[in-house]
Amino acid sequence: MKQRTSTTAHQQSAGRAILSRYAIGFGIFLSGFVTFQPAPYEFYMAALMSVSFLLYLKLSRSTGMFLAIGCAFVAGGILSLAMVDDLTGDIILYVITTAFLLLSAVFIAAVIESDPLIVATIFRAYLCSAVVTALLGIAGYFQLLPFSDLLTRYGRATSTFQDPNVFGPFLVLPACYLLYRIFNSGASGIIQRAVVLVVLTIAIFLSFSRAAWGLYLLCSIVLVFITLLIHNSAVFRLRILLLSMIGLLAAATAIAILMQFPAVSKIFVDRAQLVQSYDAGQFGRFSNHRLGFALALESPLGIGPFSFSKKFGEDPHNIWLKSLVAYGWVGFVAFLALVACTLTTGFRSLLRERPWQPYLICAYVVFVGHIAMSTIIDTDHWRHLFILFGIIWGCIGLEIKYQRPLFNADQDTKDKKPPHSATHGLQLQSA
């Protein structure tokens, strides 16, 4: 009787885990469709988080610390509201959105920690979303659809996003994920994934986002370096270098073909300039940065959301300045602490051979690129950035659990290096 009860409980637990994977996967898929605000992603994830936390999900010490730092960041935003003369619904909604995105990141971290297989589901769902949005972006740019005008902006591909500068960076994580998998695939797998990678690369190019171009290039180089670092085989390293050169040649060929279109070459020449007209000058972006930092030093509580753009004519385009003026000194310190903890704690787990290591490597590399990119663009409300936060913190939580004696009680070895049979299907799978 006890055995039957135990079997039933195990089946229920397994069924709940499968349902949870599909549920979180669908939410991640929706993150690529944000043409309208609030987007379906917000409604769906809010409902999913509520149900999950009420029924079974709990916070560990690591996710609890993540939540605590995030709450301090949100608290800074709430305090800054006191400095706004005309408090509107949009301003209040801005702070609520920040709180929601942070809570969604904590939720993603918690579900990964509760079920390691979910991290693979998240990457597959993200990849599916990226492929669909990339194809829509390419088709929209070349006016192949009746609603193509909704998929472009300023002559640039935006797909299902409101801004091409968000659309391009959104595609970088799945592109790096595919690149990593190509390095570890057989001949047939390489061809299939290379075709998808070319599609994502073309979409990133057609976003004409200098930030996305730089992010993609930086992350690809770092990913190749880390892959070479973690493999000791000289033959495998040579394989990676050869595949990298072939990939670079393929990307260059694709771009050269696209440049044959006059509209593409015209925008490329304009966007390829390192400094645009709105960057330099007395009232340019960089000048506003200097004035904004001076203003922030005089305003410990900040000046509130949207106040910077009203005063200087445009947004800060710098996440550090944005944190100071929109979230005050409290929010700035909290965000700085959150980024620092994510980078340092995540790095400790980065080179350890674990079933989730490939996912952590891809997420960490792209996260570092986003933080570097944040000095020239506002990223505080980018959904995929908070997904990266969640993935990294979820893997941090898995590493902490892995180090516990009880977590390894069923292992035959004591060196904490898992055999291939211990991955339980979490290693890179076919998408």
Side-chain angles (χ1 to χ4, degrees):
M1 184 66 178
K2 289 183 179 179
Q3 184 177 1
R4 183 181 300 176
T5 303
S6 175
T7 302
T8 303
H10 178 73
Q11 291 175 343
Q12 291 176 345
S13 177
R16 187 184 67 185
I18 294 173
L19 181 62
S20 176
R21 289 168 204 157
Y22 278 109
I24 188 66
F26 184 65
I28 298 300
F29 178 79
L30 289 177
S31 66
F33 302 87
V34 290
T35 304
F36 305 102
Q37 303 288 348
Y41 175 80
E42 275 79 33
F43 293 111
Y44 179 83
M45 290 297 287
L48 182 60
M49 287 189 293
S50 301
V51 172
S52 300
F53 281 121
L54 284 174
L55 294 182
Y56 75 96
L57 200 59
K58 297 181 181 179
L59 297 182
S60 66
R61 182 175 298 179
S62 62
T63 51
M65 182 176 71
F66 181 22
L67 177 61
I69 301 174
C71 286
F73 182 56
V74 175
I78 295 174
L79 290 174
S80 74
L81 298 180
M83 305 302 294
V84 179
D85 296 328
D86 184 17
L87 195 60
T88 63
D90 289 341
I91 294 176
I92 297 175
L93 182 61
Y94 188 92
V95 179
I96 293 175
T97 301
T98 301
F100 166 78
L101 290 174
L102 278 164
L103 186 59
S104 69
V106 173
F107 169 70
I108 291 171
V111 295
I112 289 175
E113 190 174 344
S114 68
D115 180 7
L117 291 174
I118 283 182
V119 69
T121 302
I122 288 174
F123 269 76
R124 288 196 294 269
Y126 196 136
L127 176 60
C128 290
S129 181
V131 170
V132 173
T133 56
L135 289 173
L136 286 173
I138 295 170
Y141 183 84
F142 290 106
Q143 299 293 306
L144 301 178
L145 299 171
F147 51 91
S148 293
D149 290 342
L150 298 176
L151 304 174
T152 59
R153 191 174 185 181
Y154 312 125
R156 300 159 60 187
T158 58
S159 187
T160 52
F161 290 78
Q162 293 183 334
D163 190 340
N165 291 320
V166 183
F167 169 54
F170 173 79
L171 301 176
V172 173
L173 177 62
C176 288
Y177 173 57
L178 283 172
L179 185 61
Y180 190 97
R181 295 191 60 175
I182 286 173
F183 291 153
N184 296 273
S185 299
S188 60
I190 288 176
I191 296 174
Q192 296 173 3
R193 294 175 182 111
V195 170
V196 180
L197 182 59
V198 169
V199 171
L200 296 184
T201 301
I202 292 173
I204 292 172
F205 177 77
L206 292 179
S207 72
F208 294 103
S209 169
R210 294 174 298 163
W213 294 346
L215 176 68
Y216 189 23
L217 179 62
L218 173 65
C219 292
S220 299
I221 293 173
V222 175
L223 186 63
V224 170
F225 174 78
I226 292 179
T227 307
L228 291 171
L229 185 65
I230 63 178
H231 290 89
N232 296 323
S233 170
V235 175
F236 192 85
R237 288 178 173 177
L238 179 61
R239 165 194 168 97
I240 292 173
L241 291 174
L242 288 174
L243 288 174
S244 299
M245 289 187 289
I246 293 172
L248 185 62
L249 180 61
T253 302
I255 292 174
I257 294 173
L258 289 172
M259 290 290 287
Q260 301 307 308
F261 294 89
V264 173
S265 60
K266 182 178 182 300
I267 299 179
F268 174 78
V269 171
D270 178 60
R271 296 295 302 171
Q273 297 179 34
L274 185 61
V275 179
Q276 298 288 323
S277 58
Y278 52 78
D279 291 326
Q282 182 178 358
F283 302 103
R285 177 191 304 187
F286 301 140
S287 177
N288 287 345
H289 286 175
R290 292 191 295 270
L291 297 174
F293 278 114
L295 176 63
L297 293 177
E298 301 173 358
S299 308
L301 295 181
I303 59 177
F306 306 126
S307 297
F308 185 93
S309 59
K310 292 179 181 178
K311 188 176 183 65
F312 295 100
E314 63 177 21
D315 291 327
H317 298 298
N318 180 303
I319 193 58
W320 313 110
L321 177 58
K322 184 71 166 289
S323 298
L324 277 169
V325 297
Y327 301 90
W329 293 4
V330 172
F332 172 77
V333 172
F335 185 75
L336 189 62
L338 181 60
V339 170
C341 288
T342 305
L343 291 175
T344 55
T345 312
F347 184 76
R348 295 193 190 107
S349 307
L350 193 64
L351 301 181
R352 293 174 178 172
E353 186 180 346
R354 302 288 187 260
W356 52 86
Q357 185 192 36
Y359 305 100
L360 176 58
I361 288 175
C362 293
Y364 188 90
V365 167
V366 177
F367 177 79
V368 171
H370 272 73
I371 295 305
M373 183 181 64
S374 293
T375 57
I376 58 171
I377 198 167
D378 298 323
T379 58
D380 60 325
H381 279 181
W382 285 15
R383 292 162 186 80
H384 68 270
L385 175 60
F386 287 89
I387 292 175
L388 289 171
F389 268 117
I391 292 171
I392 295 172
W393 280 89
C395 292
I396 290 171
L398 288 175
E399 179 62 30
I400 293 173
K401 290 177 64 176
Y402 192 88
Q403 296 290 346
R404 294 173 184 167
L406 291 178
F407 188 76
N408 289 315
D410 60 341
Q411 300 294 327
D412 296 329
T413 61
K414 297 182 181 180
D415 61 356
K416 294 185 179 180
K417 181 178 181 179
H420 292 294
S421 59
T423 62
H424 301 293
L426 187 56
Q427 292 286 10
L428 292 175
Q429 307 168 10
S430 297

